[in-house]
Amino acid sequence: MKKVIALITGGTTGEWVISVKSAATIAHNLDPDKFDVYKIMLTQQGWFYEPVDSVRIEVDRNDFSVLYNGRKITFDGVFIAIHGAPGEDGKLQGYFDMLGLPYTTCDALTSAVTMNKGYTKAIVQDIPNLHIAKSVQIFKETPYNLSDIKSSLKLPYFVKPNNGGSSIGMSKVKNQYDLQTAIDKAFKEDNQILIEEFIEGREFTVGVVKLDGKITVLPATEVETAKEFFDFEAKYTPGVAVETTPAPLRPETRKRVEEIATAVYAKLNCRGVVRIDFILTGDEGDFCFIEINTIPGQTVTSFIPQQVAAFGLKLNDFYTKLIKETIG
């Protein structure tokens, strides 16, 4: 029997553009012999199924079903492909939990916590061999003191929205007099922000997923960009960043990366595929945690499809295993 899967895409943030591209890759690589896939678009205007041959059909949110051609369609599970809210922050997961519908991502609590960079760092900070940049978390409605921030952190700083994704609203501050401008920019995206010390080193990202009951670390990607940091443009404009998969790492470093990434996945109680960004200092020295992304991009040029290929798996098989692991 084929499984009936809702592939949910869109979202209510600027990242919806990437979500639509991710869903296109996923839809193209879901095995039609194993799955009947219905793409559901979630927008500010509503939740819709858009069949090729008719007008869009609204989803009944009481039981997450669709009435199509006189037939009520219900789903065996949901493939969530929404980056940012409400797919990555736990809201959809909580809704599906209440309906008893399984889905492909981390649960509601893990999704909500990991959207907050400050909270995430607090949870993973005691993992062996894992280093974390010194940081200060501030809130829009709570007074903060610029001089205290400047005295407790060393320049340069990274200023980032605490709950944002895709590096929107992020700045690198080299001059202390630019800090207020960077804070104002970040507060346009979020009501709490993180100011952290910049860590010098090589930047990497690594996919981690549970497949066949075992936590599996995919080959890491090294990211080099001519820009100050890996921002939205560098992420999604071809040619701005150089990405090398698998990353050139010594075998012992690769083993250490795998151990730390596995520990982070387990400590945060992750499910499905996640992506961990980190920096290696010096000559493959300290592993410094930057952040975790619980619904990483699946566009043709995204890291996870690159890493799956380097791992020696076809995307078709990867998604089949992912659904088997998370939906059953």
Side-chain angles (χ1 to χ4, degrees), residues 12 27 71 80 87 89 91 150 189 239 251 278 292 316:
T12 54
R71 189 167 64 91
I80 303 176
D89 57 5
K91 292 188 181 77
K150 291 171 185 174
E189 300 297 326
F278 64 96
I292 185 167
N316 177 307

Side-chain angles (χ1 to χ4, degrees), residues 26-47:
I26 296 162
H28 182 69
N29 288 284
L30 281 177
D31 191 334
D33 294 334
K34 296 188 174 81
F35 310 110
D36 274 334
V37 181
Y38 292 80
K39 199 185 283 184
I40 306 288
M41 177 65 80
L42 188 154
T43 67
Q44 299 278 23
Q45 286 69 48
W47 302 11

Side-chain angles (χ1 to χ4, degrees), residues 6 24 61 73 126 170 175-176 179-180 195 199 205 209 212 228 244 275 290 299 316 328:
R61 294 191 214 179
I73 295 158
D126 59 351
M170 197 162 141
N175 183 321
Q176 60 167 331
L179 179 57
Q180 187 64 61
I195 302 157
I199 298 170
T205 188
V209 61
D212 304 322
E228 276 291 346
T244 312
R275 211 188 70 228
I290 301 176
T299 73
N316 177 307

